Amino acid sequence: MTQPLRTLRLAAWLGWQLETNWASPWLFAIYMVVKPVCGSLMLVCMFYAARAAAGAKVPAEFLPYLYVSNACFGLIGTVMFGLSNAVVTDRERYRMLKYIYISPAHFRTYFLGRGLARALEGTVGGALNIAAGLLLFADLRRAMGGEGIDWLWLVVFLGVGSAMLWAAGMILAGACLNMSRNGMFLSEGIGGVVYLLSGVVFPIAVLPVWIQWVSRALPTTYWLEGMRRALMGPVPADTPILRGPLADWSNAELAGMLALTTAGLVVVAHYFWRWNERRAWRLGKLEENAGV
Amino acid sequence: MPVMDHPPAIRTDQLTRTYRLPRKRWGKSPPADGPAAFTALDGVTLEVRPGELFGLLGPNGAGKTTLIKILTTLLAPSSGTARVDGLDVVREADAIRPRINMVSGGESSGYGVLNVRENLWLFARIYGVSTRTAYDRIGAMLDVVGLADKATARVSHLSTGQRQKMNFCRGFITDPKILFLDEPTLGLDVTSARAIRGFVREWMAERPERTLLLTTHYMAEADELCDRLAIIDRGKVLACDTPANLKKRVQKHTIFELSLAPGRNGWADLGKLPGVHQSTANETPTTVEVKVLLEEEPVIGSVVQKLVTSGGHILSLKKVEPTLEDVFIELVGHGLGGDKPADRPSGGGP
């Protein structure tokens, strides 16, 4: 087995052990369901509060929109946050980052492996979240049952999205190499900005025009639109409030733009990671511990 | 025994490492007259031969760990060159890494949710060791350090010392060509430290092609284990030779140790007496331990007379053969424990 493949397999194994072994299997299973579902239920409560206050101005189609978006965004958050977390915990909690760095392990592939474990966790969490939504809300059942899941496009968007998630995670993880444990705040902050700009709980059409252009530069915007389309079909024409600037794009156009912006992100991630890794090596940050 | 007809296992040439000190931060300003940088290594030139067990001896902050970090490719040098197994640590780091391993003592690292065997297996596999070989080596190493009964215990459930033993095993199970041990017995109990020293000797004897670079605070450990030693202080190598040759450097002086009752300080000026080369003292609550290096043995009479006339109460007096600690004090000016110099022939504070 070549070293990168071996590194990938071992890092994925390690990541899964670290993510799952902190609790008994039953407790972990409950956590996997409760955490994402509670996050979505908060949005559902806000939806019903808004609907009670504004009536028909908030159409029923808004619920599936935000529920599915939020479930999918969970994957982005899990991987982006997870890779930064892997850097910080390996360095400051387990104090093993330096031993990984000086080993023959391919350093970047090591974090790809750690990200795989997080991606699996995020995917399972997202699927359970949607399953819970289907059980609880008729509006979601109607939306997803209308045209059924478009499996082909789901695979396409998940496939390209994987590269996007990894690249976004590596950018944040690279930054964390040169920051103390408080670098996690950066990940949380960036995650919040991406959540706001990617049209998770509202279409980007409600944002000021110049911010919409920022949103349209983010691959996450196309990915979430694509995932919603693959799971629920196109936005109905009679709900203009949900029709953003991407509503009239075909799935192929969305996938093409996702691939293009992802390619850009991958290039940025490559150079940004390399620069950060060299900087951390020059400044002695690879084993610097902010705690003790 | 070192292999003489091969290129050096480790070679550094004018190796220097400078750390920039923090600049202005919120609510804090650095001292206006403070230095902008700190030099941890200052032009270190060393050569370690293949098969050699080489020691680095120096006080805290001397630069030992910085040197190891550079040699293990964990840290960039500021200037100078370093080669490990003939490969440059800056340009050929990827080729160096499969050939080396490192153990840092005194730290409690390890993936807490994995058990001991899993932690060690993971690293063995990263280095390409097959699972079967890894398990064989893990079993043997755990026996050496007395952790066999903890093989399936979670690392988070181990004591600091047990984690340190596990890390010691991690260094050896990959069977590196060049191994770096940074204070491997720091904080371990006497029995474990002895077992580890015994294993290191055995490992080197069985694998004459392996090279080991050891840093330690324990003079006896360095004396017992090392083929050659470098004494390092404030980033500079002060001496490099075999322990026997280093000790010969201070053999020219006769050494006496005196134990004095506390409360009198007649020992403070001993270094100024004619024939006294150097004098150091270490105060404890119950005694003052004074060590004097004399040009000639009869000078001890003047030393005793000086102490008695100063009101000192000599509890014991003995002549000692030179140790590495004497070499260290001769070169550095104080002991590893920061023994207070009674006076010093040439400048510098303790």
Side-chain angles (χ1 to χ4, degrees):
Chain A
M1 196 189 302
T2 60
Q3 187 60 50
L5 273 178
R6 182 189 299 132
T7 301
L8 182 69
R9 195 172 70 80
L10 291 168
W13 174 83
L14 174 64
W16 184 249
Q17 298 298 318
L18 297 177
E19 295 305 326
T20 59
N21 265 354
W22 55 270
S24 68
W26 280 110
L27 186 59
F28 178 73
I30 292 168
Y31 163 82
M32 284 287 285
V33 177
V34 169
K35 186 190 166 196
V37 171
C38 283
S40 292
L41 289 183
M42 278 195 293
L43 290 175
V44 171
C45 292
M46 289 162 68
F47 164 78
Y48 281 119
R51 200 166 159 80
K57 286 183 181 171
V58 182
E61 287 81 1
F62 221 118
L63 177 66
Y65 177 97
L66 63 85
Y67 197 98
V68 168
S69 297
N70 192 61
C72 292
F73 189 83
L75 189 55
I76 298 177
T78 303
V79 175
M80 278 173 60
F81 189 80
L83 285 182
S84 314
N85 192 48
V87 168
V88 173
T89 55
D90 266 32
R91 184 179 58 201
E92 312 225 5
R93 183 173 168 197
Y94 303 122
R95 303 186 184 205
M96 296 301 282
L97 190 68
K98 64 178 174 181
Y99 295 118
I100 294 289
Y101 186 77
I102 66 161
S103 78
H106 194 260
F107 200 47
R108 197 183 315 211
T109 308
Y110 171 78
F111 286 101
L112 173 61
R114 294 291 295 272
L116 280 180
R118 294 293 294 204
L120 180 60
E121 186 188 341
T123 306
V124 172
L128 289 172
N129 196 357
I130 290 173
L134 286 170
L135 278 175
L136 295 172
F137 305 110
D139 290 334
L140 189 58
R141 283 197 293 276
R142 265 194 298 279
M144 291 187 68
E147 297 197 11
I149 295 173
D150 189 334
W151 292 102
L152 178 65
W153 283 113
L154 184 64
V155 169
V156 169
F157 285 113
L158 277 175
V160 183
S162 302
M164 176 200 73
L165 290 173
W166 175 74
M170 289 303 281
I171 288 174
L172 290 178
C176 282
L177 279 178
N178 282 292
M179 300 173 82
S180 67
R181 66 178 62 185
N182 300 328
M184 292 310 299
F185 297 148
L186 175 79
S187 301
E188 288 171 344
I190 298 281
V193 171
V194 173
Y195 190 82
L196 177 75
L197 296 179
S198 303
V200 178
V201 288
F202 46 77
I204 60 171
V206 306
L207 297 169
V209 174
W210 69 271
I211 295 184
Q212 284 185 38
W213 283 106
V214 178
S215 299
R216 292 171 78 157
L218 297 175
T220 47
T221 306
Y222 303 102
W223 186 71
L224 285 169
E225 180 72 20
M227 290 297 287
R228 281 192 298 264
R229 295 254 193 109
L231 291 168
M232 301 188 295
V235 179
D238 57 350
T239 52
I241 193 171
L242 292 177
R243 291 182 68 81
L246 306 179
D248 294 326
W249 289 34
S250 69
N251 284 353
E253 286 172 323
L254 269 180
M257 188 52 94
L258 173 63
L260 195 66
T261 48
T262 296
L265 193 71
V266 167
V267 171
V268 170
H270 170 76
Y271 286 105
F272 190 69
W273 170 269
R274 200 165 74 170
W275 180 79
N276 273 289
E277 187 186 327
R278 295 293 288 186
R279 185 173 190 271
W281 173 68
R282 279 199 319 273
L283 300 183
K285 299 279 184 183
L286 289 160
E287 64 149 0
E288 193 173 85
N289 196 306
V292 289
Chain B
M1 277 293 105
V3 181
M4 304 297 285
D5 55 347
H6 284 80
I10 297 167
R11 184 191 176 100
T12 69
D13 188 17
Q14 290 299 313
L15 193 66
T16 299
R17 172 68 207 192
T18 304
Y19 290 97
R20 275 185 302 170
L21 295 176
R23 284 170 291 188
K24 188 172 182 179
R25 293 187 172 170
W26 291 105
K28 289 181 184 174
S29 297
D33 56 345
F38 162 71
T39 302
L41 283 180
D42 190 0
V44 169
T45 299
L46 271 180
E47 196 171 291
V48 180
R49 299 164 195 143
E52 199 168 32
L53 205 165
F54 189 89
L56 280 176
L57 203 56
N60 293 331
K64 308 184 296 291
T65 301
T66 299
L67 178 57
I68 282 193
K69 283 182 194 172
I70 291 173
L71 294 173
T72 55
T73 73
L74 182 61
L75 180 70
S78 300
S79 63
T81 60
R83 300 184 82 82
V84 174
D85 204 23
L87 300 163
D88 187 88
V89 295
V90 174
R91 287 179 286 106
E92 295 166 297
D94 288 344
I96 290 174
R97 286 171 184 154
R99 305 167 192 224
I100 63 166
N101 206 338
M102 171 177 71
V103 174
S104 296
E107 65 176 30
S108 53
S109 53
Y111 292 108
V113 299
L114 302 185
N115 67 35
V116 171
R117 184 178 286 136
E118 287 168 338
N119 260 284
L120 296 173
W121 171 84
L122 174 71
F123 269 86
R125 293 291 298 125
I126 283 175
Y127 280 79
V129 179
S130 71
T131 293
R132 177 187 286 260
T133 307
Y135 281 143
D136 287 346
R137 289 182 188 169
I138 290 166
M141 283 305 302
L142 291 180
D143 278 337
V144 168
V145 298
L147 269 189
D149 60 331
K150 298 285 183 188
T152 55
R154 273 192 174 195
V155 170
S156 58
H157 295 166
L158 299 183
S159 68
T160 304
Q162 287 169 331
R163 284 187 188 205
Q164 195 171 328
K165 290 177 189 174
M166 183 192 76
N167 274 311
F168 180 78
C169 298
R170 186 185 45 69
F172 286 88
I173 54 166
T174 62
D175 196 21
K177 190 172 181 187
I178 300 170
L179 179 61
F180 298 86
L181 297 181
D182 191 8
E183 312 269 5
T185 58
L186 187 68
L188 291 183
D189 59 77
V190 175
T191 313
S192 301
R194 179 181 290 181
I196 280 175
R197 283 197 295 272
F199 176 77
V200 167
R201 267 198 309 271
E202 200 177 297
W203 190 77
M204 290 297 288
E206 287 173 359
R207 295 164 178 78
E209 73 286 3
R210 300 292 190 243
T211 305
L212 199 149
L213 192 149
L214 168 87
T215 76
T216 181
H217 270 110
Y218 304 124
M219 306 279 186
E221 188 169 275
D223 203 356
E224 178 186 339
L225 289 177
C226 298
D227 298 319
R228 283 196 307 143
L229 276 171
I231 292 178
I232 183 168
D233 186 41
R234 298 178 195 188
K236 289 178 184 288
V237 173
L238 305 179
C240 180
D241 212 330
T242 63
N245 284 345
L246 286 171
K247 280 186 272 189
K248 279 182 192 166
R249 290 184 177 215
V250 289
Q251 194 82 55
K252 58 190 175 191
H253 299 117
T254 308
I255 301 170
F256 281 90
E257 280 182 357
L258 300 99
S259 183
L260 309 178
R264 305 280 182 177
N265 66 351
W267 45 267
D269 298 325
L270 288 179
K272 292 175 183 165
L273 287 176
V276 176
H277 176 72
Q278 193 180 44
S279 161
T280 59
N282 184 25
E283 281 186 278
T284 70
T286 51
T287 58
V288 178
E289 304 296 336
V290 176
K291 184 179 278 189
V292 285
L293 277 66
L294 309 178
E295 306 290 352
E296 294 173 326
E297 192 165 330
V299 178
I300 190 64
S302 310
V303 171
V304 170
Q305 190 178 13
K306 165 75 175 166
L307 289 169
V308 171
T309 54
S310 304
H313 181 196
I314 299 172
L315 301 174
S316 68
L317 166 69
K318 66 175 177 183
K319 184 181 174 189
V320 293
E321 295 303 319
T323 64
L324 275 181
E325 188 165 4
D326 300 314
V327 179
F328 192 87
I329 290 169
E330 167 84 4
L331 290 167
V332 177
H334 58 82
L336 275 174
D339 298 354
K340 192 185 297 180
D343 51 68
R344 197 178 295 171
S346 58

